[in-house]
Amino acid sequence: MMLWKNTINELLKIATKIRSYIGIGALTLLILIVLFAMKADGKSYIGFVTASFEQTLSFNGKILNGNLIAFIIMQMLIVHVPLLISLVTGDLLSGEEASGTIRMLATKPISRSGIVLSKWIAATIYTLIMTVWLGFLSLFVAKWMFGTGDLIVLNSNGLLIIPEADLAWRFALALLIAFLALWTVATLSLAFSAFAKNSVGPIVSTMSVIILFTIIGTLDVSVFDAIKPYMFTTHMAAWRSVFEDPYPLSAIWESVIILVAHIGVLLGITLIRFNKKDITS
Amino acid sequence: MKSVLLVVFILTGVVGFGQTAEEILKGVIDKIDLVEDYQADVQIKAAIPFIKVPIAKATIYFKQKDKFKVESKGIAILPKQGMSDLTGFLSNEKKYSAVLGEAKTINEHKTRLISILPTDENSEIILAKVYISTSEDLIYRTVLTTKSSGTVSIDYEYNLNKKYGLPNKMTFTVDIKKFKMPKSVASDIRNNEKKKKYKENEKGTIVLTFSNYLVNKGISDEVFKKD
């Protein structure tokens, strides 16, 4: 009961902070810019995708549709949304320490683990809101602006066309996996937050880890092959696998398990660190 | 008896092989000219290297001389050459010269090869080899060599609309150049997986199955306006 009350309290704290709206505002602005750009010059983007085949084949039907725009937006933003998430979640514990409210928080009839868990649940809900907002803008607004249709997906093996009727569950699953990836980032920044005394450190550290792991993941050097499958950044784009045919179910499960394992381990580290943290001096 | 056989042989020769390339083509063009406009449902089944596409359904519209439109709810992939451009090209007799070639049996239909060379130096079609059944005035195979699309081979099957020269099935075989992925557009998360190996140029086939032809029922020009 106390955990629930404290979680509500943490959500209210998030809601009253301006930085919480920076993320949502930036996400909205970014998506609106993409939608405007696609409305203005989307056909040339399509030409870029189909260029390899245009000499021999003609593509008929509504290629530039809401489903394609949603896919493009998800692909573009899934790299940048973690920064917007960590902007809020990186501040949850360290912000209390920086403002000196951590001791007051500790006087409440709730354990330190309860404090961490309520903040983690609040971070989870914030991440969920961001993911749902991303899904709403990219899917519903894009469909409202561009209409609906089959999805044309480009990967290194060529083009895949997925029928419209086969897309709703794919987008739902993709958003669920994207949420898991963002949840991992939120938990990572919360873990960093438990070690820091101001919120800049956890935010910068989270982004540094993402950038570092992403670079390692893209380096085609065999020395990193052993660790690549276990880096959470390798699995952050697992949502994209949902748009393959046939979709690699076992690989998707593997990504889900690794992301969930990261969340568990990082939450454990946060709990241990915060329980051992000296907040009295 | 021998003289009778000789007469029969000569007559057969006159009927079967006596026609010039222009005369054989005229039979086909006359059939094409019977069609002022048509509309048909088409099922498109494509097996193209580098492209995975489900079977698509579309409606096609044609109106003389060269109005052509494909309307599909989903994404439909069609060959760039050989849909309506060939008939338009054949109808303009001043723009090409035709040479009579060998006889060939295609799917049990006896045909004659007509090689068509455009006289216009800017023509997209460089050479068209058309296999025509002289008894039916129908094209059963076309091999188009084009400037930008390479070679396109088309096999035709006819059913109910033979009298208009409208096929119920067309099988296109097209050249597909090796796919080059724009790296800024796509990325695979598991890029260490084995990729399919393709040759520099591969052949793709697109099978169009036509149904519900509506011939000469009148189609408004509005239909052909771009969306």
Side-chain angles (χ1 to χ4, degrees):
Chain A
M1 193 62 190
M2 196 58 208
L3 180 72
W4 176 242
K5 276 186 181 173
N6 213 50
T7 304
I8 301 272
N9 204 25
E10 288 301 329
L11 282 170
L12 287 171
K13 276 190 212 168
I14 290 174
T16 51
K17 281 182 184 168
I18 293 171
R19 69 167 65 202
S20 309
Y21 300 99
I22 293 174
I24 292 173
L27 185 66
T28 310
L29 187 67
L30 278 167
I31 293 174
L32 289 177
I33 288 170
V34 174
L35 289 172
F36 168 75
M38 285 295 158
K39 196 79 182 169
D41 199 24
K43 280 186 181 165
S44 62
Y45 186 90
I46 299 302
F48 191 50
V49 173
T50 56
S52 297
F53 306 100
E54 286 282 356
Q55 280 190 341
T56 321
L57 305 168
S58 76
F59 290 77
N60 301 276
K62 203 170 184 180
I63 299 173
L64 188 69
N65 59 54
N67 289 320
L68 179 67
I69 304 292
F71 185 80
I72 292 167
I73 289 172
M74 280 183 73
Q75 189 160 266
M76 280 178 177
L77 293 186
I78 222 74
V79 185
H80 309 292
V81 175
L83 173 66
L84 304 175
I85 298 275
S86 63
L87 211 62
V88 171
T89 53
D91 179 58
L92 287 176
L93 284 167
S94 56
E96 300 276 7
E97 190 146 351
S99 61
T101 51
I102 192 103
R103 286 175 211 168
M104 198 177 77
L105 196 66
T107 60
K108 284 187 175 181
I110 184 170
S111 65
R112 285 198 184 189
S113 296
I115 293 171
V116 171
L117 285 173
S118 60
K119 284 185 180 289
W120 178 69
I121 294 168
T124 304
I125 293 169
Y126 180 75
T127 309
L128 186 66
I129 290 168
M130 287 284 277
T131 314
V132 170
W133 188 238
L134 170 70
F136 171 76
L137 286 178
S138 55
L139 266 172
F140 291 95
V141 178
K143 275 188 183 177
W144 173 68
M145 282 177 73
F146 293 88
T148 187
D150 295 352
L151 175 66
I152 191 163
V153 178
L154 184 64
N155 59 42
S156 53
N157 276 333
L159 286 178
L160 167 67
I161 295 164
I162 306 172
E164 187 194 344
D166 199 23
L167 284 173
W169 72 269
R170 286 183 197 262
F171 271 112
L173 189 58
L175 280 168
L176 193 69
I177 297 168
F179 165 70
L180 264 182
L182 294 175
W183 196 11
T184 310
V185 173
T187 314
L188 174 70
S189 60
L190 186 72
F192 278 130
S193 184
F195 287 88
K197 289 190 173 177
N198 64 67
S199 53
V200 178
I203 296 164
V204 173
S205 303
T206 305
M207 287 319 292
S208 302
V209 167
I210 292 172
I211 293 165
L212 184 74
F213 280 14
T214 306
I215 291 169
I216 290 172
T218 50
L219 279 176
D220 218 357
V221 182
S222 59
V223 73
F224 295 126
D225 283 355
I227 59 161
K228 274 180 192 175
Y230 304 104
M231 296 191 306
F232 73 94
T233 46
T234 308
H235 303 278
M236 278 182 73
W239 65 271
R240 217 178 178 284
S241 305
V242 176
F243 295 94
E244 288 175 25
D245 190 36
Y247 61 96
L249 189 62
S250 60
I252 292 170
W253 269 116
E254 185 190 305
S255 293
V256 168
I257 289 164
I258 285 172
L259 289 172
V260 170
H262 269 86
I263 292 167
V265 170
L266 290 166
L267 181 63
I269 291 169
T270 315
L271 284 166
I272 293 165
R273 169 63 190 164
F274 193 70
N275 275 302
K276 286 185 177 175
K277 198 172 188 177
D278 179 15
I279 56 169
T280 54
S281 56
Chain B
M1 186 61 187
K2 274 183 183 175
S3 57
V4 172
L5 281 173
L6 187 65
V7 170
V8 170
F9 179 77
I10 291 166
L11 282 175
T12 312
V14 169
V15 172
F17 300 97
Q19 286 175 291
T20 63
E22 286 76 14
E23 282 167 345
I24 294 171
L25 275 175
K26 194 178 179 305
V28 174
I29 294 162
D30 287 345
K31 272 200 171 168
I32 293 169
D33 288 343
L34 286 176
V35 181
E36 275 300 311
D37 57 71
Y38 71 81
Q39 166 187 336
D41 293 334
V42 58
Q43 189 195 63
I44 305 155
K45 195 176 175 184
I48 304 163
F50 319 111
I51 300 181
K52 205 166 186 179
V53 54
I55 292 171
K57 282 179 179 171
T59 306
I60 57 164
Y61 301 91
F62 172 80
K63 192 172 181 179
Q64 291 282 15
K65 286 259 185 205
D66 56 2
K67 290 191 178 82
F68 183 76
K69 190 182 180 179
V70 181
E71 210 173 69
S72 70
K73 201 169 172 255
I75 297 169
I77 297 176
L78 289 171
K80 203 133 197 175
Q81 300 289 338
M83 284 300 292
S84 66
D85 47 350
L86 179 69
T87 50
F89 175 70
L90 289 180
S91 300
N92 201 341
E93 291 155 69
K94 288 175 187 169
K95 290 222 164 180
Y96 60 82
S97 55
V99 180
L100 190 63
E102 60 173 0
K104 192 172 182 177
T105 304
I106 297 170
N107 297 331
E108 296 171 8
H109 299 281
K110 285 179 182 169
T111 64
R112 288 300 300 267
L113 166 65
I114 312 281
S115 297
I116 298 164
L117 292 151
T119 50
D120 182 0
E121 63 173 332
N122 296 318
S123 171
E124 172 60 23
I125 295 170
I126 298 167
L127 171 69
K129 289 181 176 178
V130 188
Y131 295 85
I132 298 169
S133 160
T134 49
S135 58
E136 295 175 292
D137 293 330
L138 289 172
I139 301 172
Y140 276 96
R141 180 173 290 162
T142 303
V143 182
L144 287 175
T145 307
T146 63
K147 267 183 189 169
S148 56
S149 306
T151 304
V152 182
S153 168
I154 312 155
D155 279 355
Y156 305 78
E157 285 177 33
Y158 298 88
N159 192 359
L160 297 170
N161 290 285
K162 258 184 180 180
K163 60 178 176 180
Y164 296 115
L166 293 171
N168 72 311
K169 193 173 180 181
M170 287 170 91
T171 305
F172 290 78
T173 308
V174 292
D175 288 337
I176 303 290
K177 285 181 185 169
K178 194 176 180 181
F179 171 64
K180 283 176 188 156
M181 179 189 63
K183 283 190 176 171
S184 59
V185 177
S187 60
D188 288 358
I189 62 159
R190 294 177 187 83
N191 51 11
N192 53 343
E193 278 180 10
K194 280 183 183 174
K195 298 266 159 43
K196 287 176 194 169
K197 285 190 176 176
Y198 292 105
K199 294 172 201 162
E200 199 58 41
N201 282 304
E202 296 229 359
K203 298 274 183 200
T205 56
I206 302 171
V207 181
L208 309 184
T209 310
F210 298 88
S211 58
N212 303 326
Y213 268 111
L214 292 173
V215 185
N216 295 337
K217 300 283 180 193
I219 298 174
S220 164
D221 285 342
E222 290 293 309
V223 172
F224 300 94
K225 284 188 179 169
K226 285 196 173 179
D227 297 323

